Amino acid sequence: MVFNGSAVLITGASRGIGKATAQEFLAGGARVAINGRTEASVAQAIKELGGHERLEGAPGDVATAAGCEAVVGAAVEKLGGLDVLVNNAGVFTQTLMAETDEDLWDSLIDINVKGTYFCSRAALSALDNSGGAIVNVASEAGLNGYAGITAYCTSKGAVVNLTRSMALELAPTVRVNCVCPGVIDTDMARIGFADLSKEAEFYPLKRIGTATEVAKGILYLASPDAGFITGAALAIDGGATAGH
Ligand SMILES: NC(=O)c1ccc[n+]([C@@H]2O[C@H](COP(=O)([O-])OP(=O)(O)OC[C@H]3O[C@@H](n4cnc5c(N)ncnc54)[C@H](O)[C@@H]3O)[C@@H](O)[C@H]2O)c1
């Protein structure tokens, strides 16, 4: 896909799906600002992506509105505008309701939901100027419920529905869509699940997904090829939502 010269900000791009998405946008000719929680993690990711001249760093915590404003402001300044915002930063935990305390709940909601909402809000005028697009990274767990990850499902269900609502509010200028990945082979899944081969069995396609497979869905939704798509939730989940 061609994004020649487009200005793209990806939150949580120091590793995993975000970093793979940065790689794909770079390959498409975009200029990419990479966010991660710390300066060191962003510098490391830029190095791992070959220190490309079309890469910029926009480190910072997206769990607060002020943090989101700082991150988006830095990216818009360095890139000279913004065409695409990918709200990818997120955290996951498998914790039973009985063991979920307020701090854990707050961190899931603050990073996964508040971060998505306030980064989008901070990017509004830049995206309005460019007629750009937002792609949120929700989850298949935002479309289905799962015992043991209720707080995570809550946060990702919120991302799916804020995508729909934002799409209506920002139309016709800015398109807003989300991807809903099943289990993807990243540090998040490797740390979060005891046995990934067991997870693979759950999917009709009998495997888990790759970060690049999700990245390609994100690029499609951000591209002019998806010009008539807004408010959509694209499942990239090996068939999980087809009938489980
Ligand atoms: N891996 C999966 O199985 C899977 C499945 C469905 C959805 N997702 C979603 O995809 C997104 C990316 O996940 P991943 O698998 O690449 O995870 P990951 O843990 O490998 O990477 C997450 C990234 O988010 C960043 N991040 C976390 N909190 C942040 C904060 N407060 N401020 C800034 N950056 C922060 C981390 O630094 C990291 O770069 C997340 O939103 C996740 O919920 C992942």
Side-chain angles (χ1 to χ4, degrees), residues 8-232:
V8 178
L9 166 61
I10 306 166
T11 67
S14 64
R15 63 185 200 188
I17 292 169
K19 196 169 121 205
T21 304
Q23 178 85 64
E24 293 298 314
F25 272 114
L26 274 181
R31 294 173 299 124
V32 183
I34 288 193
N35 161 258
R37 229 186 298 227
T38 65
E39 281 193 24
S41 67
V42 169
Q44 179 62 26
I46 288 177
K47 202 167 147 197
E48 286 165 11
L49 288 163
H52 206 287
E53 59 182 12
R54 283 185 276 114
L55 276 174
E56 300 283 356
D61 189 342
V62 299
T64 65
C68 292
E69 276 157 29
V71 166
V72 174
V76 170
E77 194 180 325
K78 287 182 179 177
L79 297 170
L82 196 65
D83 297 293
V84 177
L85 168 65
V86 181
N87 286 308
N88 166 77
V91 285
F92 170 81
T93 176
Q94 290 214 55
T95 312
L96 293 170
M97 280 180 71
E99 287 149 22
T100 300
D101 63 19
E102 194 173 353
D103 286 346
L104 183 56
W105 170 269
D106 284 347
S107 76
L108 281 161
I109 299 299
D110 286 353
I111 298 167
N112 296 358
V113 185
K114 215 166 124 184
T116 300
Y117 186 88
F118 282 101
C119 282
S120 302
R121 195 186 74 161
L124 281 183
S125 75
L127 290 172
D128 225 24
N129 284 339
S130 64
I134 297 173
V135 182
N136 297 323
V137 181
S139 173
E140 183 247 325
L143 300 170
N144 283 330
Y146 289 98
I149 57 169
T150 295
Y152 181 76
C153 287
T154 304
S155 73
K156 292 299 185 176
V159 173
V160 171
N161 217 28
L162 75 76
T163 298
R164 297 184 180 121
S165 216
M166 272 168 41
L168 297 179
E169 190 163 331
L170 305 187
T173 316
V174 177
R175 294 184 305 105
V176 188
N177 293 290
C178 68
V179 292
C180 296
V183 172
I184 303 299
D185 190 8
T186 67
D187 287 349
M188 178 181 279
R190 283 173 221 133
I191 295 163
F193 294 100
D195 182 355
L196 282 180
S197 61
K198 258 199 204 152
E199 298 304 316
E201 276 307 302
F202 169 76
Y203 292 96
L205 293 183
K206 296 297 169 207
R207 67 173 177 88
I208 62 170
T210 68
T212 302
E213 287 171 325
V214 179
K216 289 194 186 282
I218 292 170
L219 262 77
Y220 169 64
L221 290 173
S223 77
D225 288 348
F228 198 49
I229 302 179
T230 197

